[in-house]
Structures are given as structure tokens and as C-alpha cells.
């Protein structure tokens, strides 16, 4: 399924997410050279020999899902601090994360990416901010893991420079100096960022959060990102503790603090964005700053519920994120769409979020946050062939009146097929390019090693 081989996915319900939000109860998608050539109603009727026709009768075809917030390395630390607040959870985990190395992130990352791919995700974003001394090339390791599994990847070079001894939350041995951070970030962009239309890897700049980085780093990081034409990302307004921290230390709300440092704009998106007041939401909308809503993680940590309806009404770009597996052991992007809808309605009433709006946040909305919506996020001629084919004729979904409701409100359907740039990523519910048992064994090894690092003592 590469080069000029033409593939047609035919006979499925097609949900395009195109400009007019076309849906075809029976339609077909023609894929040519890694891109969508056409999306049309009705089954495919051609008979050319050089066309491979995939019969997708009984399936729903959507754009591949786009994840907009994650910490892949946390796959190695699932199941810790399971009944804790965010700050307690961080305090327990920081020392363990301090043992990260290239090998751990490669193995944990491959399993995390694999599991996310099995939930219909074709574009994986990662926010990596723990760079222990002598940890090796951690960003390179996760980019290699993404290539191995076969996803499109948006890596961000994160950082922390406000250690415990300076009044920050992270222990000093996992923080870096501003110079180290800026050098490392510039090198990551130079080495890995590919802005071309067919790019499979892009890089952004992402200091960790207001309570783990200095104002100087935030300011310098924004300048670097704008100089290189890459995007900016961080955690904002996840907890009330963070709000208190910002008001005590900087005398400002998190959003005013970020604005004062040049951290708002159409090239910026924030993870979580739970504790925004009306003013903050207006500011986000005015500046085109986006929000990666992570409902499962927010509920797992009891952080609160994002004001999704109000953000959308104001015109704030909204995408979805699974967040790291240490605060979302499930790591299913389709379930994030369901949780986004349920939480929005639980707090805002029955019209707070529609099933199609939830699916849009998981696809086109996410692509917009990553600045990649000219290439992914919808099924339209000329866009990348990043496609999810969901089987909805099994016991769980057969006969359901609205197949989009089946995706968003029902149990996640089996993933019949997913493609990235026309190449199979998942086939019949299994990863197409890697052995899942090998990934599982690697993840178990990584989890053991991060807790008990083998210590090599110098010989005397
Ligand atoms: Zn996060």
C-alpha cells in the first residue's frame, strides 16, 4: 500500500469531518500514494486490476484519531499513587522518573504507542520533560519507537529548571539549567523536525508547567520556538494547587502569567485547562490558544472537569489527550471522546457536547492544535491517508441506529484497520508492523528497571 498502488476502502459508513461534515451511510475512500484521492457516496464499482479493494461492509470509516497530550515514558510507571492528588502523585513519581534512560523510554514508549494505536489513534503527540543526567538521547529513542510502531508523531522537547531548592516541585536531579535546555531543544528541532507536507515527525517546544519551570525559561523557550517556526505546549490550569502557586509566587492567575511571558497565540496549546474563569476563556479565544482536554486523567487525579462547552462556544480550539499512562492506565483515545461527552453533559446538561462534536475533538480538533490540519484530521482529497476503519457489525454494535453514536457512546468497536499515510498500522485489532508480545515483554522489563535500576559500581 505504498508508491502508486491504489487502495479503495469500500462499503462502509464514511464520516469525513470535511468542511461540510459529509457523512455517507455507504461510501468509499480511494487512497493513492499515501494520500486520499477521493471520498464518495456509494460502494466502489471500478474493476481495474491495479486497484486493491478492501471490503469494509459493516464498518465505519473515520479520520485517524489525533492525540494532543501524552507522556509516553509513564507507561513504565502505571499503577503508582493511585489514590493521590496531582502534587502527591508527582512527588511520589519524580524520584522514580529520575531513573529514566534511553532503553526504558524506547520500550515503554513502543508499548504506549502501540496501545494508543489500537484505540484508533494514528497521530501520537508526546510531551517529554524528564531529562535525567546521563539519560542519553531520550527524544531520539521515542521517535524511533514511533517509527517502529508506524504512527505519525509530534514530539515535544520538554524541560524543568525549577527544582526543589528553588521552591519548585521536582527534585533537583531531574531539572536542567536553562542553557542545557535551550541547547537540547534547538538540537532536537534541528535533528528531528520535518515541516514538509509528508512529514511523519514534527517537534515542538514544551517546558513542563508553571510550577516546575522558571519565568526566564518560559520566555526564552517561546522565543526559540518562534525563531524556529515550531509550536509551543505546556500544562496550564490543571489543579487549584497550581492556581494557588501562581497567585502566591507571581501574583497572577496562570493565564495572566502565561500571557505576560508571550505564551498565548495560535501556535500555542495548553494541556488540561480546567480552572479557567470567563476572562481566561475570552483571552484564549482572542489569542487563538488551544486546549488539550484530558478527561480521563483529570478524573483519575480528581483535578476537575474542563469547561469544554464554554471553550467551544467562545471559539477556543479544543482537542483531546489521553495524558500519560501514570494518570490514565487505559490510554484509549476513543474513550476520551466518550468521557469528554459524558463529563460535559454531567456538568452542563444534555446539549453540552454532541457525539459528532466529541468525534471532531478527537480528529480535526486535535489536528488543529498540532498545526497539522492542512494534512490530517479529516478525510478529504489531497490529505494524508490517516484512516480508522471500525467494525460495527459485531454483537456490541450491530443494528445501532447511529454509527457515530456507536463509536462515541458505545464500547470501543474492534478496529478492523488503520492506516498512516496509506500504510497499515493496525489490522484486525492487532498492530500490523510489530509483534505485540515483544512490546509487552519490553514494557514489563522497562517497568522493572525504572524502579530498580541496575547499579554498576566502579571497580577498585
Ligand atoms: Zn500531562
Amino acid at each position: 500500500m505504498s508508491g502508486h498502488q491504489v487502495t479503495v476502502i469500500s462499503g462502509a459508513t464514511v464520516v469525513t469531518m470535511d468542511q461540510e461534515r459529509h457523512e455517507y451511510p455507504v461510501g468509499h475512500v480511494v487512497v493513492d500514494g499515501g494520500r486520499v484521492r477521493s471520498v464518495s457516496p456509494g460502494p466502489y464499482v471500478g474493476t481495474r486490476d491495479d486497484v486493491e479493494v478492501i471490503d469494509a461492509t459493516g464498518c465505519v470509516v473515520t479520520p485517524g484519531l489525533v492525540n494532543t497530550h501524552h507522556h509516553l515514558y509513564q507507561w513504565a510507571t502505571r499503577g503508582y499513587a493511585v489514590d493521590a492528588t496531582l502534587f502527591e502523585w508527582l512527588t511520589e513519581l519524580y524520584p522514580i522518573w529520575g531513573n529514566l534512560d534511553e532503553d526504558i523510554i524506547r520500550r515503554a514508549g513502543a508499548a504506549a504507542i502501540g496501545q494508543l494505536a489500537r484505540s484508533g489513534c494514528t497521530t501520537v503527540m508526546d510531551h517529554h520533560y524528564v531529562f535525567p543526567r546521563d539519560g542519553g538521547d531520550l527524544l531520539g529513542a521515542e521517535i524511533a519507537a514511533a517509527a517502529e510502531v508506524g504512527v505519525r508523531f509530534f514530539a515535544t522537547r520538554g524541560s524543568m529548571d525549577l527544582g526543589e531548592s528553588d521552591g519548585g516541585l521536582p527534585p533537583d536531579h531531574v531539572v536542567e539549567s536553562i542553557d542545557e535546555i535551550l541547547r537540547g531543544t534547538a538540537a532536537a528541532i534541528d535533528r528531528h523536525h520535518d515541516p514538509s507536507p509528508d512529514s511523519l515527525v514534527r517537534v515542538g517546544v514544551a517546558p513542563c508547567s508553571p510550577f516546575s519551570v522558571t519565568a526566564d525559561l518560559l520566555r526564552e523557550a517561546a522565543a526559540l520556538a518562534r525563531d524556529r517556526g515550531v509550536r509551543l505546549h505546556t500544562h496550564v490550569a490543571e489543579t487549584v494547587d497550581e492556581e494557588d502557586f501562581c497567585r502566591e509566587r507571581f501574583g497572577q492567575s496562570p493565564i495572566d502569567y502565561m500571557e505576560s511571558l508571550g505564551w498565548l497565540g495560535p501556535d500555542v496549546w495548553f494541556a488540561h485547562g480546567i480552572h479557567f474563569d470567563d476572562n481566561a476563556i475570552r483571552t484564549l479565544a482572542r489569542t487563538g490558544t488551544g486546549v488539550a482536554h484530558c478527561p480521563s486523567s483529570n478524573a483519575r487525579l480528581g483535578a476537575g472537569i474542563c469547561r469544554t462547552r464554554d471553550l467551544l462556544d467562545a471559539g477556543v480550539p479544543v482537542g483531546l489527550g489521553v495524558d500519560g499512562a501514570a494518570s490514565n492506565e487505559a490510554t484509549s483515545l476513543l474513550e476520551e471522546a466518550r468521557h469528554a461527552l459524558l463529563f460535559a453533559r454531567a456538568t452542563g446538561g444534555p446539549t453540552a457536547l454532541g457525539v459528532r462534536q466529541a468525534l471532531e475533538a478527537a480528529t480535526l480538533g486535535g489536528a488543529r492544535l498540532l498545526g497539522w490540519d492542512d494534512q490530517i484530521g479529516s478525510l478529504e482529497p489531497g490529505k494524508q491517508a490517516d484512516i480508522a476503519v471500525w467494525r460495527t457489525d459485531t454483537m456490541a454494535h450491530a443494528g445501532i441506529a447511529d454509527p457515530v453514536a456507536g463509536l462515541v457512546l458505545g464500547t470501543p468497536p474492534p478496529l478492523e484497520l488503520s492506516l498512516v499515510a496509506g500504510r497499515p498500522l493496525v489490522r484486525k485489532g492487532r498492530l500490523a508492523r510489530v509483534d505485540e508480545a515483544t512490546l509487552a515483554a519490553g514494557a514489563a522489563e522497562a517497568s522493572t528497571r525504572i524502579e530498580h535500576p541496575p547499579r554498576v559500581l566502579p571497580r577498585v
Side-chain angles (χ1 to χ4, degrees):
M1 241 181 262
S2 59
H4 287 94
Q5 161 90 54
V6 175
T7 302
V8 182
I9 301 166
S10 180
T13 296
V14 180
V15 180
T16 65
M17 284 294 157
D18 67 7
Q19 205 99 53
E20 292 82 30
R21 303 295 186 269
H22 282 118
E23 293 181 17
Y24 305 118
V26 176
H28 65 275
V29 182
V30 178
V31 174
D32 185 359
R35 289 177 177 270
V36 173
R37 189 206 279 170
S38 62
V39 186
S40 317
Y44 176 73
V45 291
T47 54
R48 281 171 49 183
D49 284 350
D50 58 346
V51 174
E52 178 200 9
V53 179
I54 296 171
D55 179 5
T57 308
C59 297
V60 180
V61 175
T62 67
L65 308 188
V66 178
N67 190 42
T68 62
H69 185 66
H70 205 343
H71 312 289
L72 292 170
Y73 73 95
Q74 290 181 9
W75 195 258
T77 58
R78 284 163 293 146
Y80 286 84
V82 295
D83 300 319
T85 68
L86 175 71
F87 279 25
E88 291 163 0
W89 174 88
L90 282 170
T91 307
E92 177 169 339
L93 281 161
Y94 277 139
I96 302 170
W97 293 338
N99 297 325
L100 254 188
D101 63 24
E102 242 177 74
D103 181 64
I104 290 170
I105 202 170
R106 169 86 192 237
R107 292 172 190 237
I113 292 166
Q115 189 61 30
L116 194 53
R118 288 181 51 167
S119 78
C121 180
T122 52
T123 297
V124 175
M125 177 273 177
D126 193 53
H127 181 187
H128 190 77
Y129 55 84
V130 183
F131 290 87
R133 265 164 235 298
D134 306 323
D137 180 9
L138 301 186
L139 217 65
E142 63 175 36
I143 288 169
E148 181 191 358
V149 178
V151 295
R152 201 178 295 280
F153 195 53
F154 196 113
T156 60
R157 207 299 186 176
S159 49
M160 300 189 286
D161 73 331
L162 189 64
E164 241 167 351
S165 58
D166 294 318
L169 202 62
D172 290 348
H173 72 277
V174 294
V175 304
E176 304 169 278
S177 71
I178 292 192
D179 284 349
E180 288 168 331
I181 290 165
L182 294 174
R183 242 195 338 269
T185 306
I189 296 167
D190 292 344
R191 191 170 316 146
H192 300 294
H193 180 64
D194 175 4
S196 75
D198 288 322
S199 166
L200 287 169
V201 180
R202 290 189 180 170
V203 177
V205 178
C208 183
S209 64
F211 52 83
S212 58
V213 308
T214 60
D216 285 342
L217 173 57
L218 286 168
R219 214 179 284 114
E220 298 275 324
L224 173 67
R226 285 174 178 136
D227 179 55
R228 301 301 179 100
V230 302
R231 298 179 81 76
L232 279 168
H233 178 66
T234 190
H235 297 99
V236 173
E238 182 173 5
T239 63
V240 179
D241 289 347
E242 178 197 309
E243 174 95 22
D244 294 344
F245 180 93
C246 286
R247 288 198 187 277
E248 263 164 46
R249 196 173 169 101
F250 315 118
Q252 284 173 305
S253 71
I255 202 78
D256 290 340
Y257 176 59
M258 296 311 281
E259 183 162 38
S260 74
L261 299 168
W263 261 81
L264 297 180
D267 56 346
V268 183
W269 84 107
F270 295 142
H272 306 304
I274 297 169
H275 303 282
F276 286 143
D277 60 16
D278 293 348
N279 266 330
I281 290 177
R282 274 193 293 272
T283 303
L284 292 168
R286 171 173 52 78
T287 55
T289 310
V291 171
H293 176 30
C294 306
S296 301
S297 168
N298 298 158
R300 162 38 164 115
L301 290 168
I305 298 176
C306 173
R307 297 173 59 187
T308 320
R309 178 72 268 153
D310 297 331
L311 291 170
L312 290 170
D313 283 345
V316 176
V318 175
L320 298 179
V322 293
D323 204 0
S327 63
N328 179 5
E329 282 77 356
T331 307
S332 162
L333 193 49
L334 189 60
E335 283 187 21
E336 296 308 312
R338 179 162 181 261
H339 290 159
L341 179 144
L342 294 179
F343 296 170
R345 290 191 190 176
T347 52
T351 60
L353 198 67
V355 294
R356 284 164 177 78
Q357 290 171 319
L359 185 63
E360 181 173 332
T363 53
L364 194 57
R368 214 176 142 194
L369 293 195
L370 302 185
W372 226 332
D373 50 322
D374 61 327
Q375 297 295 332
I376 58 173
S378 63
L379 301 178
E380 295 178 77
K383 275 199 169 181
Q384 296 288 330
D386 290 13
I387 301 173
V389 182
W390 311 88
R391 186 152 282 291
T392 48
D393 59 0
T394 68
M395 192 171 68
H397 300 87
I400 191 160
D402 178 348
V404 178
L407 290 181
V408 175
L409 298 177
T411 192
L415 190 59
E416 177 69 15
L417 178 73
S418 73
L419 305 176
V420 171
R423 287 189 64 200
L425 169 64
V426 174
R427 207 187 261 122
K428 298 206 180 302
R430 310 282 292 179
L431 297 171
R433 303 192 210 173
V434 284
D435 176 53
E436 293 186 5
T438 306
L439 293 198
E445 165 80 14
S447 300
T448 305
R449 280 204 38 226
I450 197 167
E451 195 185 10
H452 304 291
R455 293 182 195 283
V456 181
L457 297 173
R459 286 181 181 280
V460 285

